[in-house]
Amino acid sequence: MASLTLKINNKTHTVDVDPKMPLLWAIRDVVGLTGTKYGCGIAQCGACTVHLAGTPVRSCSIPVSAAANKDIVTIEGLSSDNSHPVQQAWIAEQVPQCGYCQSGQIMAATALLKKTPNPTDKDIDTAMQGHICRCGTYPRIRKAIKAASQLMNQKASIK
Amino acid sequence: MEAISKNISRRNFIKFSSLTGAALTLGLYSQAAGKEAEIITPEAAENLGIEMNAWITIDTNGKVTITNHRSEMGQGSFQSVPQMIAEELEVNLSDINIVFAQGNNAKYGSQITGGSSTIRGTYKKLLKLSATAREMLIEAASKKWNVSKAECYAEGGRVIHKSSGKKFHYGELVQEASKLEAPKNVKLKLPEEYKIIRKPLPRQDTPLKTNGTAIFGLDKKLPGMLYAVVERNPRFQGKVKSFDDTETKKVPGVKHVLPVKMSVFNTFREGVAVVADTLWAAMQGRKVLKVEWDDSGFEHLSTEQLYARMSDALKSENTLSVRTKGNAEGIYQKSENKIEATYETPYESHACMEPLNCIANYQDDKLEIWGPIQGPDWVQDFLSPLLGLPKEKITVNMTFLGGGFGRKAFMDYPHEAAVISKEIKAPVQVVWTREDDTTQGPFRPGMMYHCKGSVNANGNIESYSMRTAGQNMDHQWPNADKKSYNGSATEGFLETYFNSLQHYSFSDSPLDVPIPVMWWRSVYASTNAFAMESFMDELAAKAGKDPLDFRRPHLHDGRYHDLINKLEEVSGWKNRKKGEGYGVAIAESFSSIVGEVVKVSKKPDGKVKIDKVWAVMDCGWYVNPDIIKAQIEGSIIMGLGAAVTHATHFKDGKAVEQNFNTYKIPRITDTPDIEVHIMENDEKAGGVGEPSLPPFAPALTNAIFDLTSKRIRKLPFNLEEV
Ligand code: FES
Ligand code: FES
């Protein structure tokens, strides 16, 4: 057991956990933020994706100790009122079916758009192919990423 | 008995009244199975001494609460059910709140979310219920104004007096209205009058699923809840001989280690549960647990052995007749223009994105369950005798489901959770790892099909037979009649073919092996259609006809012609270019008909790629076209998975594929362009969540034949290797 500091969504949590515990379980079961999901535990599906120091990572495959004192953003930190352009595009395109994979999909899409504001189909393929959706929402994910890109560009030009 | 029901109904009534001050509550009451349900108020129920369900409650603020008796697993019942109610009740969608029903089939009738039945099973009742409430509100207003009902109408949650423009909002009327008797024969709107139904309105559960607030089974927590994982015997009927938990007990956080048994059809699945204060601790404890299994008394089969048996069964004399007309065999024997073919489809895991999990809290001879559950009432019915608890002592709460596809309609995982909670006397969440979920089944049964057919001089089908070999799900239940044929052996075949064909025969040679199998999205249609529609294509080729034109003389009903014409038109079937392969397949299941055309071509490296899929859905009366579109897209992609990316194999009695690295789910890069069309007609509502899966695989392999002249008769196949 070790006492670690986790900075999740701009809030600091001190947790007393096995340092080998995957970040996923620390976020879900210790801190209690359940928006981040477990799908495979072996970095194959992307359901557990969070941003660690600005980069999308598979929280199921990172020990909590490796995330200590770094900025972590989960789906709850994107915005709770769905005001983030990616969330808005996801709603406009009606992407989710069961919804279980969508936190991970949204976190991956957000990271993609930050790096590549105008992604091509190829960029989308590369960023999203690690993310499984058993309900098959892929056609809508592609559309929503393009829509989010437009929304973000509009916002930027207004500023 | 009567006294008990009376109490329950009183409790319900009081609960609703105190919740809302006063309210108009309407529910349904079935006098007897098979009889049409009557619409009643709680007061009427009280007087009759019966238990009613409160489907719709309108409170004094005009807010409507509806009870969703079905689960929400992605198919959109959270949107389509309110859309129906808002239409006939004349309220705004935003004024409707939905609550999940608890399991209670005495109140709600069957609650199982399966057979694509949420809409088609209930739409008439719900429309009538909503229209009845509307009429009662109009009547209440007309009484208050002292005018005739005909002078008033309802709109946007208000009753309006036409000439004066006076208004009451529903909240002001519920008290009066609740004292009225429910009218018997209300008039329902015609489709052309719809304002809400048929509109692609956004789903109300979407915002919860884009900010992480939707609570799935795995997200539910109870105070003092412990976590359990179970090391289960990887052979489905094996037992626990002994276990050594010395190391497990040393893992910090581990509280209990205990053997468990859960009921799976006519046998039990055995394992050893590790219970801890965090899921991670339980998983760590499981890693160092040593279990010795007893695997005697049943066969340990491999995939090769399973299919060898099916192949033998297809050739044996022993077969059960399912459905026949004329003399298919005699005609076939005499024909000069005949073909036969054998098809093979794989076993599959459901691989719902949310692995199985369930919370049970067994205390003071009461059990409460929370989980991603497709059939809460089934869980009650199933657990009651197993645990020796009366049904009233079992409460089953549904959460959102991260996928279901049939798997979460089975009751094994709630049973396991209940057994553990009872034993440790604490609330516990049992979590299946991805590996547990992928390897433990029940699986979609692997199947083999043998088809024989002949065409006459005009190039029309003269005789058609299909023989099925594979496991019959119904044969697994205790005391099942293993001589009974598979009632779903014709599922997928167009109803109109049964009328048009003069000679056909469907028969079934069941396989009896110790592998648990069950419903997987679209059930037997998901595999039958591959054989049926591949063979249709082979017959068309034998007749030297275009596959669409070949079907036309066999469609004895306008509905099918409309569909095939639409399919031809939207896909540009007749205008295909050189180097393009087109394939078609049409299947009927769950009272809907779906036709799909797949277009394939070759990549520069010579490998086949899927360019596009067109789907035309005829599901009759429908609610929300965008939800249907989403279901079709999803079904096609799931069908793609079972056709080309995944399968479950067995070796030495154990499932081989364990996780997504070997059980490969289609990804965004595998997804073709999909175009969806919905037919408009006055037919009865059919299913939406499943029927577009079956035609995909045969449409794809037929397209590959069109492009390459190569027949693919075994799924899955590797697109890269065609
Ligand atoms: S749960 Fe982490 S990638 Fe699947
Ligand atoms: S929406 Fe269900 S898994 Fe993606």
Side-chain angles (χ1 to χ4, degrees), chain B residues 306-316 319-320 322 332 339-348 444-453 464-473 486-493 505-511 518 520-536 538 587 589 642 693-695 697-698 701 712-716:
Chain B
L306 289 164
Y307 285 86
R309 287 201 195 171
M310 288 181 225
S311 175
D312 288 346
L314 286 178
K315 287 176 211 125
S316 85
T319 192
L320 307 162
V322 177
Y332 175 82
I339 49 167
E340 58 182 319
T342 304
Y343 303 94
E344 194 178 316
T345 57
Y347 281 82
E348 296 285 6
R444 182 181 83 169
M447 302 294 292
M448 276 184 90
Y449 299 89
H450 185 67
C451 299
K452 294 197 288 194
Y464 182 104
S465 9
M466 186 171 102
R467 185 152 158 190
T468 307
Q471 288 182 256
N472 183 334
M473 299 168 195
N486 183 346
S488 302
T490 59
E491 188 73 8
F493 208 57
S505 146
F506 288 84
S507 63
D508 172 36
S509 305
L511 178 74
M518 66 176 301
W520 188 97
R521 199 175 194 169
S522 79
V523 198
Y524 283 103
S526 75
T527 52
N528 292 349
F530 176 60
M532 291 163 175
E533 283 296 284
S534 295
F535 194 59
M536 206 44 93
E538 301 214 32
S589 58
L693 191 144
T701 50
I712 292 161
R713 299 194 179 93
K714 179 179 170 179
L715 301 181

Side-chain angles (χ1 to χ4, degrees), chain B residues 74-95:
Chain B
Q75 84 285 26
S77 66
F78 250 52
Q79 177 58 25
S80 40
V81 171
Q83 238 176 295
M84 287 192 277
I85 289 173
E87 180 73 63
E88 286 291 359
L89 189 54
E90 290 289 354
V91 293
N92 300 320
L93 263 181
S94 55
D95 285 328

Side-chain angles (χ1 to χ4, degrees), chain A residues 1-152:
Chain A
M1 287 292 179
S3 176
L4 299 172
T5 302
L6 293 180
K7 292 200 291 188
I8 308 178
N9 307 331
N10 292 324
K11 244 179 105 180
T12 303
H13 304 261
T14 310
V15 295
D16 194 26
V17 291
D18 174 355
K20 292 198 300 295
M21 177 190 272
L23 176 60
L24 170 66
W25 301 119
I27 292 173
R28 286 183 52 87
D29 294 346
V30 184
V31 177
L33 292 171
T34 55
T36 307
K37 304 298 185 206
Y38 163 69
C40 69
I42 58 164
Q44 284 286 323
C45 75
C48 63
T49 302
V50 300
H51 297 176
L52 181 63
T55 314
V57 296
R58 304 282 189 261
S59 66
C60 70
S61 302
I62 294 182
V64 58
S65 55
N69 304 313
K70 292 186 190 155
D71 275 324
I72 301 166
V73 182
T74 68
I75 184 76
E76 290 91 345
L78 216 52
S79 91
S80 58
D81 59 356
N82 281 307
S83 58
H84 191 284
V86 173
Q87 291 170 315
Q88 287 184 353
W90 242 248
I91 294 171
E93 296 298 332
Q94 289 289 295
V95 177
Q97 286 185 30
C98 83
Y100 193 78
C101 72
Q102 299 296 344
S103 302
Q105 307 274 9
I106 290 171
M107 295 313 281
T110 310
L112 163 70
L113 289 167
K114 216 178 203 174
K115 229 176 60 196
T116 317
N118 297 298
T120 61
D121 276 323
K122 243 211 140 104
D123 296 330
I124 295 176
D125 280 353
T126 312
M128 305 306 292
Q129 68 181 351
H131 292 260
I132 292 175
C133 175
R134 185 55 159 163
C135 298
T137 62
Y138 304 122
R140 289 170 187 235
I141 288 175
R142 191 180 294 282
K143 273 198 211 145
I145 292 176
K146 291 180 178 168
S149 157
Q150 275 188 359
L151 274 177
M152 289 165 116

